[in-house]
Amino acid sequence: MTQAPNVYDAEPIPASVRAEIEKMLQTGDLFRYTAAENAPVSLLEREFADMMGTKYALAVSSCSAALFLSLEALALEPGTKVLIPGFTFAAVPSSVVHAKLTPILVDVAANYRIDMADFEAKLTPDVGAVIISHMRGHTSDMDAIMALCDAAGIPVIEDAAHSLGTTWNGQKIGTMGRVGCFSFQSYKLVNAGEGGILVTDDADLLARAVIMSGAYEHNWKKHQGPGGADDTALAEAFARWQNELPLYNLRLSNLSAALVRAQLPEVETRVRKGRINHDYVADKLNASPWLSVPPALPAEKRAPDSIQFNLEEFLSDEDAIAFAEAAAARGVKVQIFGLSEDNARAFWNWKFIGPQGPLPQTVNMLMRACDVRLPTRLTTDELDTIADALIAAAAEVKAGSRAYGT
Ligand SMILES: *Cc1c(COP(=O)(O)O)cnc(C)c1O
């Protein structure tokens, strides 16, 4: 059997970027606002907005920074409620707390998607914004969410940190809400070590976010819409907010922007390959009576670089942990979100957000939902090794628990 691949190694950065980085090393021109125009960060913003089909993009230091600035740009009263899913990464409730707002968790079902009945019940008039995390690329029912939020006049922020390339009814994830946020941290589809970007069509929101990201004095002049300098709505918004807002300095450096730009032409291939790999492994796992990969919703086309599946009929936590150990013995690291210690995606580890109502479906899901990385570079042999190890590990534990009888 092929040895299990190391799924934590990053991929090489395309060699095409070497000359540009060498030039930056020689000139030392790393700050986005030094050059009069065409700084790598500005070019990235234009290219990313064009790729997503939005008017504007703002590149920042992380997706967390993009989420924080999006919330700040909405100018909500301190303490206002923000709905977020009960299943997401700790960065999301953290961005809400950072913006001095109050996170309210919504229950998430066994298929990793927001439970719409709980969402509707919690979408009360005192909610100021909603963050939808397309967690691990799993898209909740965006038609229902947008209809409810539009009817209530509540802005939606899409946390698409890990969803670049996913579409919903053919529309790009991250372009449905008022603003969409993406990550360039190393475990995402595009890797710059750290980095993030937000996209929006809203000139006022963009202007506020640009200034707060650290466009001090008149540096906002280096931010333009698709039409270049004659974007009146944007110019008016910058004039409106000049000197009115704090500067949090959450900017991206030219070096990081160059790394991201070099990978943008590869996004389509990575998405296609990731989807093929994911579906190949999913079909194999679904053939096991003990493992199930929830299907995508009909409107969703995913762009996965990892796979999530549920343990079926694993009645005890001990058996679930034994499965993870049996997989590890075969060289495949499985993380069960609710059973791996101090997991940042288990909401009970977000002790900084204060008490929340019960989230029964989210708890049940987290205790049996498994996470395995599937970088898009893996070969079919390597995918077979991973899938076979998972299937054998589940069978071994189930055979053991039958033998001892319970
Ligand atoms: C990675 C991730 C984030 C945070 O992104 P950073 O760029 O590391 O701040 C937020 N939400 C989700 C769903 C993520 O996967």
Side-chain angles (χ1 to χ4, degrees), residues 15-322:
S16 57
V17 74
R18 296 253 164 95
E20 195 184 348
I21 288 180
E22 182 57 35
K23 200 170 128 211
M24 278 189 225
L25 297 181
Q26 281 167 18
T27 60
D29 187 7
L30 302 179
F31 182 50
R32 68 164 298 165
Y33 292 131
T34 304
E37 56 187 5
N38 292 334
V41 181
S42 303
L43 295 175
L44 164 63
E45 288 169 344
R46 191 68 264 139
E47 287 163 6
F48 199 85
D50 290 348
M51 182 174 113
M52 300 306 288
T54 57
K55 273 193 190 155
Y56 311 111
L58 169 64
V60 289
S61 53
S62 67
C63 180
S64 299
L67 291 168
F68 167 70
L69 289 169
S70 300
L71 289 167
E72 288 283 331
L74 292 174
L76 303 169
E77 286 297 315
T80 303
K81 290 181 184 172
V82 177
L83 295 195
I84 66 169
F87 176 46
T88 183
F89 186 58
V92 176
S94 304
S95 70
V96 179
V97 170
H98 190 187
K100 298 193 169 62
L101 303 168
T102 307
I104 304 290
L105 303 190
V106 179
D107 212 4
V108 170
N111 68 353
Y112 320 132
R113 281 139 179 110
I114 289 169
D115 176 73
M116 287 310 300
D118 196 47
F119 182 83
E120 207 170 338
K122 286 175 176 161
L123 195 71
T124 47
D126 56 348
V127 169
V130 166
I131 300 181
I132 300 297
S133 259
H134 306 298
M135 185 55 176
R136 289 288 193 275
H138 301 292
T139 308
S140 294
D141 185 346
M142 287 307 288
D143 293 340
I145 289 168
M146 291 312 301
L148 286 167
C149 290
D150 285 347
I154 297 175
V156 172
I157 297 171
E158 285 184 80
D159 166 22
H162 214 148
S163 294
L164 183 58
T166 302
T167 60
W168 178 264
N169 282 327
Q171 191 176 349
K172 292 191 169 69
I173 282 294
T175 66
M176 269 170 277
R178 180 84 62 89
V179 48
C181 303
F182 298 85
S183 174
F184 303 128
Q185 183 266 343
S186 287
Y187 289 155
K188 320 293 166 146
L189 200 75
V190 170
N191 164 25
E194 302 283 0
I197 198 162
L198 64 83
V199 296
T200 186
D201 287 334
D202 184 327
D204 195 70
L205 186 148
L206 191 271
R208 287 176 57 88
V210 162
I211 291 173
M212 286 187 280
S213 77
Y216 59 94
E217 296 166 356
H218 292 172
N219 280 312
W220 48 259
K221 287 184 180 158
K222 291 172 184 168
H223 293 263
Q224 297 187 344
D230 35 65
D231 184 330
T232 342
L234 190 59
E236 284 172 7
F238 280 128
R240 193 157 49 241
W241 297 114
Q242 178 81 57
N243 300 342
E244 296 288 336
L245 299 167
L247 305 167
Y248 294 112
N249 286 5
L250 299 166
R251 297 175 300 247
L252 192 72
S253 93
N254 282 338
L255 200 51
S256 306
L259 297 176
V260 173
R261 290 182 68 219
Q263 292 169 70
L264 291 186
E266 306 210 339
V267 166
E268 225 180 280
T269 313
R270 290 182 189 177
V271 167
R272 188 166 11 93
K273 191 134 191 299
R275 191 179 295 145
I276 291 170
N277 287 0
H278 173 278
D279 293 351
Y280 179 80
V281 175
D283 283 348
K284 288 190 102 169
L285 299 190
N286 278 330
S288 158
W290 318 121
L291 308 175
S292 74
V293 181
L297 297 184
E300 176 189 357
K301 261 192 125 180
R302 348 190 222 205
D305 60 1
S306 63
I307 190 164
Q308 289 71 47
F309 57 92
N310 294 330
L311 297 176
E312 300 294 337
E313 295 175 52
F314 274 63
L315 299 182
S316 72
D317 292 351
E318 288 70 27
D319 276 2
I321 290 166

